[in-house]
Amino acid sequence: MSKQTAPQAIDYGDLNTLMGYKLRRAQVSFFDSFAQRCSKFGITPGLFGVLSLVKHNPGQTQSAIANALGNDRSAMVSVVDKLEAMQVLVRKPSATDRRSHALFLTKEGEKYYAELITQVREHEQQFMDLLQDDEAAIISDVLDRFAAVKSS
Amino acid sequence: MSKQTAPQAIDYGDLNTLMGYKLRRAQVSFFDSFAQRCSKFGITPGLFGVLSLVKHNPGQTQSAIANALGNDRSAMVSVVDKLEAMQVLVRKPSATDRRSHALFLTKEGEKYYAELITQVREHEQQFMDLLQDDEAAIISDVLDRFAAVKSS
DNA sequence: TATTGTTATACTCTATAACTATA
DNA sequence: TATAGTTATAGAGTATAACAATA
């Protein structure tokens, strides 16, 4: 026999009733799926977030982008390094403050982002297809409310 | 003047339309809030998940718990070590398989969990209070559907 | 041969502190 | 004095590979 004991069914107990755990499971599933579909682009959700924010806010500084994403400045360094190595983003000296770097998508970066966002939207659609009628609007709303809860 | 340039408003662009990003923001907010409320218990969402699963499935092995949570069994070692150090959980030799450890809550662990789950439920309620009418049921349903998406 | 717990290892993510050059 | 980017560092979290004991 291949297994002596059949794998016993697990009772998820409280976890099955907790929105926090459902939220985590859903996010992990979503990001795993994202990573798989976008693997050929060599990008992660974290890199995508920075790229997208620079795309929509050209010329902003690293600190401004970090703040907007809720990350620390120091974490931005390697992220921007990677995106620069991919030649989709560039640091340019700020015109008004020589301490800071203004971030821009390269010409290649614009093309890259255009192709990437198409994949990302298809991926979104794959999940949105699981919803019916007005559910999407409700989820979107509720997640925004959850995100707005201040923790201290 | 305290700042030379007023902080420019950030356009979240595509991110504001992507469920994946909303999901992440909501989860981070939820877990930050959880961590704050449960800090006096010295526990994290990850530790709580294991403890809760052992509570509801006494005698299961480390591998079974790891599998149920989608983790690798190697990651369980330090988690169980921590919970054992907190004296809320014990490894006992399995009666049927001398390779494996059966996990149980200690007497203290049962008391600890009872107090903890009360806090966790209050925390849940804090977020559920943001919802109205049938929204909770819809969110719960949709998150389950998202979690069920297989990624390969 | 396969599985359980374990160790060693490594990689990502995240955060803190300190440095430098600027402001 | 304070801020931007950077470096060094350290802590979680997660994963792979290999090993000893056992199945």
Side-chain angles (χ1 to χ4, degrees), chain A residues 70-87:
Chain A
N71 297 330
D72 193 85
R73 273 176 306 138
S74 66
M76 284 289 292
V77 179
S78 78
V79 171
V80 174
D81 283 351
K82 277 178 198 160
L83 292 170
E84 243 186 351
M86 292 163 67
Q87 310 195 347

Side-chain angles (χ1 to χ4, degrees), chain B:
Chain B
M1 56 187 84
S2 61
K3 285 199 183 180
Q4 269 192 325
T5 56
Q8 241 182 299
I10 290 281
D11 173 13
Y12 280 83
D14 293 319
L15 292 188
N16 249 347
T17 74
L18 294 175
M19 198 64 76
Y21 187 64
K22 286 176 186 286
L23 211 41
R24 168 161 167 76
R25 272 194 299 209
Q27 201 238 303
V28 167
S29 171
F30 203 102
F31 272 41
D32 281 354
S33 173
F34 179 101
Q36 186 188 337
R37 181 182 282 254
C38 297
S39 62
K40 65 175 172 183
F41 286 89
I43 203 153
T44 62
L47 291 176
F48 173 74
V50 170
L51 191 62
S52 182
L53 233 45
V54 173
K55 156 78 181 175
H56 293 280
N57 303 271
Q60 286 284 359
T61 67
Q62 292 183 195
S63 289
I65 300 294
N67 260 332
L69 290 171
N71 298 331
D72 192 86
R73 59 190 208 286
S74 68
M76 285 289 293
V77 180
S78 78
V79 171
V80 175
D81 283 351
K82 278 178 198 160
L83 292 170
E84 242 185 353
M86 292 163 68
Q87 310 195 350
V88 295
L89 181 150
V90 284
R91 292 170 165 106
K92 291 187 183 175
S94 163
T96 60
D97 186 337
R98 295 201 307 186
R99 288 173 305 181
S100 60
H101 296 160
L103 302 178
F104 297 91
L105 261 60
T106 62
K107 196 167 179 177
E108 292 176 31
E110 295 283 354
K111 218 176 124 190
Y112 174 87
Y113 187 81
E115 291 168 19
L116 178 56
I117 193 66
T118 302
Q119 281 294 311
V120 170
R121 289 239 170 76
E122 282 182 27
H123 177 252
E124 280 279 310
Q125 196 52 48
Q126 178 186 343
F127 278 79
M128 291 309 98
D129 285 346
L130 300 171
L131 310 187
Q132 44 195 8
D133 298 342
D134 52 347
E135 282 181 339
I138 294 174
I139 304 307
S140 179
D141 240 54
V142 167
L143 293 180
D144 282 349
R145 268 177 269 163
F146 284 178
V149 173
K150 61 181 182 349
S151 200
S152 73

Side-chain angles (χ1 to χ4, degrees), chain A:
Chain A
M1 60 188 81
S2 61
K3 284 199 181 180
Q4 268 192 325
T5 56
Q8 242 182 297
I10 289 282
D11 173 13
Y12 281 82
D14 292 320
L15 292 188
N16 249 348
T17 74
L18 295 175
M19 198 63 75
Y21 187 63
K22 287 174 185 287
L23 211 41
R24 167 161 166 77
R25 273 196 298 209
Q27 202 239 304
V28 167
S29 170
F30 203 103
F31 272 41
D32 280 354
S33 172
F34 179 102
Q36 187 189 337
R37 181 182 281 254
C38 297
S39 63
K40 65 175 173 184
F41 286 88
I43 203 155
T44 62
L47 291 175
F48 173 74
V50 171
L51 191 62
S52 182
L53 234 45
V54 173
K55 157 78 181 176
H56 293 281
N57 303 270
Q60 286 284 358
T61 67
Q62 292 184 193
S63 289
I65 301 295
N67 259 332
L69 291 171
N71 297 330
D72 193 85
R73 273 176 306 138
S74 66
M76 284 289 292
V77 179
S78 78
V79 171
V80 174
D81 283 351
K82 277 178 198 160
L83 292 170
E84 243 186 351
M86 292 163 67
Q87 310 195 347
V88 295
L89 181 150
V90 284
R91 292 171 164 104
K92 291 186 182 176
S94 164
T96 60
D97 186 337
R98 296 201 309 186
R99 289 172 303 180
S100 59
H101 297 159
L103 303 179
F104 297 90
L105 261 60
T106 62
K107 197 167 180 178
E108 291 177 31
E110 295 284 354
K111 218 175 124 190
Y112 174 87
Y113 187 81
E115 291 169 18
L116 179 56
I117 193 67
T118 301
Q119 281 293 311
V120 170
R121 290 240 169 75
E122 282 182 26
H123 176 252
E124 281 279 311
Q125 197 50 48
Q126 178 184 343
F127 278 79
M128 291 308 98
D129 285 347
L130 299 171
L131 309 186
Q132 44 197 9
D133 299 342
D134 53 346
E135 283 181 340
I138 295 175
I139 305 307
S140 178
D141 239 55
V142 167
L143 292 180
D144 283 348
R145 267 176 269 163
F146 283 178
V149 173
K150 61 181 181 349
S151 198
S152 73

